[in-house]
Amino acid sequence: MDKKLIDIVKNQSKIEPAALLAFIYVETGGQGFDKKTGKILIQFEPAWFKKQEPYAPSGFWSVNKVDVQSKEWQAFNDAWKINPHSAMLSTSIGLGQIMGFNYRRIGYKSVDEMWDDAKKGIDRQLFQIIKFIESDIKLISAIKAHDWDRIATLYNGASYKELAKKIGRESYDISLKKAYESFL
């Protein structure tokens, strides 16, 4: 992880630096932008887009590939053609991979404003993830207690373990615990 980011995290909010760094590391490896393209990192969520646009015809947006940014952007751009607002609401962005529909929760008037601010730099993305965590008493309490299972459930949903098995990954709670221990 970038030393500059680590230094910024150590001088930020009430959140324990090792816990916040673990969260960021597990979400994006400490990157907010794609090293190849310079674009903000995204994860387009077809299920959320379908909730926004129930009658949208299938397309690239319905079959994105997790962790392949070129495929994520292809899916996002395809959804954008259908409805830009719904596409942004249905996509997680940046360092903390915050879903666009959370824009009000972190203090923005629109999802466009959230995206535009995140594109300005890693410091703005860090601001967003801190605001997101601090706005949820259950999440901040779980982080303070190092309750990795509760954090994973709150951030990724109750079926996070099943998803990890399905895609052949280590469970989110285990990844968080290991990352936390590495930042102590």
Side-chain angles (χ1 to χ4, degrees), residues 23 136 139 142 147-162 171-173 176:
F23 197 92
D136 184 336
L139 184 56
D147 185 342
W148 311 117
D149 177 63
R150 184 79 177 132
I151 295 165
T153 300
L154 290 168
Y155 202 70
N156 286 314
S159 61
Y160 76 91
K161 288 183 182 181
E162 290 80 19
S171 183
Y172 194 85
D173 60 331
L176 279 172

Side-chain angles (χ1 to χ4, degrees), residues 168-183:
R169 285 203 179 154
E170 181 175 76
S171 183
Y172 194 85
D173 60 331
I174 294 169
S175 296
L176 279 172
K177 183 177 190 267
K178 286 180 178 178
Y180 172 76
E181 290 169 352
S182 76
F183 289 112

Side-chain angles (χ1 to χ4, degrees), residues 121-156:
I122 224 67
D123 58 326
R124 297 310 303 160
Q125 293 178 28
L126 181 60
F127 167 81
Q128 290 180 355
I129 193 59
I130 290 168
K131 287 285 283 182
F132 183 85
I133 291 169
E134 289 179 344
S135 70
D136 184 336
I137 190 72
K138 291 177 185 175
L139 184 56
I140 194 75
S141 296
I143 289 172
K144 286 180 180 178
H146 307 139
D147 185 342
W148 311 117
D149 177 63
R150 184 79 177 132
I151 295 165
T153 300
L154 290 168
Y155 202 70
N156 286 314

Side-chain angles (χ1 to χ4, degrees), residues 51-69:
K51 288 178 184 179
Q52 300 289 320
E53 300 295 327
Y55 303 109
S58 293
F60 290 122
W61 70 266
S62 57
V63 289
N64 66 327
K65 301 292 182 193
V66 175
D67 291 338
V68 179
Q69 283 298 295

